């Protein structure tokens, strides 16, 4: 998936450099039916993150709906990606505080 040679620094958002939070994955699977294979992912919850800020426009332009994305990393391997979020506080209830 990743085309860079060096893996991202674990727990640090590649888009904004914020430290990411543990987020417990929901039981539901996303549209492609692919599970994450992890009980928790690392997710960037920084509301100033460029992926998230710019996501509001790109989601609307591309999909015609309002929403944005937050960056996630798999805690155990180098998988990462963008999770769709519908509103500002989406997913926050599942943050695992250390
Ligand atoms: Zn970020």
């Amino acid at each position: 998936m990743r085309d860079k040679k060096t893996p991202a620094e674990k727990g640090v958002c590649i888009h904004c450099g914020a430290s990411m939070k543990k987020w417990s994955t929901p039981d539901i699977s996303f549209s492609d039916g692919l599970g994450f294979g992890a009980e928790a992912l690392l997710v960037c919850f920084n509301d100033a993150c460029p992926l998230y800020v710019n996501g509001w426009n790109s989601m609307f332009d591309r999909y015609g709906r309002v929403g944005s994305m937050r960056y996630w990393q798999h805690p155990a391997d180098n998988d990462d990606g963008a999770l769709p979020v519908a509103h500002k506080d989406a997913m926050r209830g599942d943050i695992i505080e250390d």
Side-chain angles (χ1 to χ4, degrees):
M1 295 282 247
R2 170 173 297 281
D3 46 25
K4 286 179 201 158
K5 287 207 171 65
T6 47
E9 191 179 343
K10 195 63 78 182
V12 177
C13 178
I14 59 168
H15 297 279
C16 68
S19 65
M20 297 163 79
K21 291 187 180 292
K22 266 189 261 171
W23 175 73
S24 78
T25 52
D27 289 332
I28 56 142
S29 53
F30 288 95
S31 53
D32 55 3
L34 212 72
F36 288 111
E39 285 183 9
L41 296 176
L42 298 166
V43 178
C44 173
F45 280 96
N46 178 9
D47 287 336
C49 182
L51 177 74
Y52 176 74
V53 171
N54 297 329
W56 293 106
N57 289 327
S58 59
M59 286 288 274
F60 188 78
D61 291 346
R62 254 188 281 170
Y63 304 109
R65 67 187 183 98
V66 178
S68 189
M69 292 167 283
R70 291 194 188 273
Y71 175 67
W72 64 267
Q73 287 178 341
H74 194 289
D77 59 33
N78 289 328
D79 266 3
D80 64 357
L83 278 172
V85 290
H87 57 87
K88 185 170 175 290
D89 294 320
M91 298 159 41
R92 280 187 188 276
D94 295 311
I95 292 175
I96 302 166
E97 298 291 351
D98 288 321

